[in-house]
């Protein structure tokens, strides 16, 4: 239809490429873990950091080009969640994070997504607040740190890798706390949506 904006904007293309490369990251990370190959471990880290940074790229492109689309609003959060949970599940399999970490983060995402759906059905928008953004940033930095630690150990820098892993663990604890607190804040701020107050 004439005048209708295409969904295939540069921002949305970046988001789609990010999603397409998540399985690539997972395969490389699994191969690195099985073969203890330094090159694969470094590649897994580089791929994950690159994918994490593209979240800022697609957002910048959409805003700077005034090409914010409903398709992008739908796809970008999905890409973020897939990226986080792909890394978390691999860490869970390795025994680097506990089941409770994945459970807390997963439950929060389900509840907030459901809240947004209910609000959206009523014509209201629940935007990400500062705590939610901080939660996402701390989680991503922690996950990048874990894969950096694996790469350092694979390169023979075990002491440095252990230090980075410890910092990453501390950041993950902080991320879980922020996950809970930001989730509670979302529901408190949107209590009128849930309880009709």
């Amino acid at each position: 239809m004439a005048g209708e904006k295409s969904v295939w904007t540069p921002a949305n293309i970046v988001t789609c490429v990010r999603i397409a490369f998540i399985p690539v990251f997972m395969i490389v990370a699994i191969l690195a873990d099985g073969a203890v190959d330094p090159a694969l471990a470094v590649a897994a880290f580089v791929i994950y950091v690159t994918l994490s940074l593209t979240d800022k790229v697609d957002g910048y492109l959409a805003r700077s080009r005034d090409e914010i689309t409903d398709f992008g609003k739908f796809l970008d959060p999905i890409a973020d969640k897939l990226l986080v949970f792909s890394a978390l599940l691999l860490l869970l399999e390795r025994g680097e994070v506990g089941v409770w970490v994945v459970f807390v983060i997963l439950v929060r995402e389900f509840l907030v997504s459901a809240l947004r759906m209910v609000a959206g059905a009523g014509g209201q928008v629940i935007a990400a607040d500062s705590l939610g953004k901080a939660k996402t940033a701390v989680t991503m930095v922690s996950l990048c740190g874990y894969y950096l630690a694996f790469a350092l150990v694979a390169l023979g820098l075990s002491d440095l890798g252990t230090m980075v892993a410890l910092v990453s663990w501390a950041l993950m604890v902080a991320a879980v706390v922020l996950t809970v607190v930001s989730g509670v804040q979302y529901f408190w701020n949107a209590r009128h949506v849930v309880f009709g107050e």
Side-chain angles (χ1 to χ4, degrees), residues 98-181:
V99 174
W100 61 272
V101 170
V102 180
F103 178 75
V104 168
I105 294 174
L106 184 63
V107 167
R108 187 264 191 196
E109 295 303 336
F110 270 122
L111 291 176
V112 171
S113 295
L115 177 63
R116 284 179 168 154
M117 287 176 62
V118 171
Q124 302 178 59
V125 176
I126 300 177
D129 57 17
S130 56
L131 267 181
K133 291 177 180 177
K135 178 269 301 180
T136 300
V138 174
T139 303
M140 296 304 295
V141 172
S142 172
L143 291 171
C144 288
Y146 272 108
Y147 287 95
L148 173 59
F150 294 143
L152 291 171
V153 171
L155 289 167
L157 303 171
S158 298
D159 290 342
L160 183 56
T162 300
M163 289 177 59
V164 171
L166 184 60
V167 172
S168 301
W169 175 83
L171 287 172
M172 184 58 70
V173 171
V176 170
V177 172
L178 285 170
T179 294
V180 174
V181 173

Side-chain angles (χ1 to χ4, degrees), residues 7 12 67-75:
V7 298
N12 291 344
E67 292 178 338
I68 297 174
T69 65
D70 289 337
F71 181 66
K73 291 178 184 177
F74 165 76
L75 202 62

Side-chain angles (χ1 to χ4, degrees), residues 25-37:
F25 154 71
M26 295 183 74
I27 291 169
V28 173
I30 290 169
L31 290 174
D33 192 37
V36 196
D37 187 323

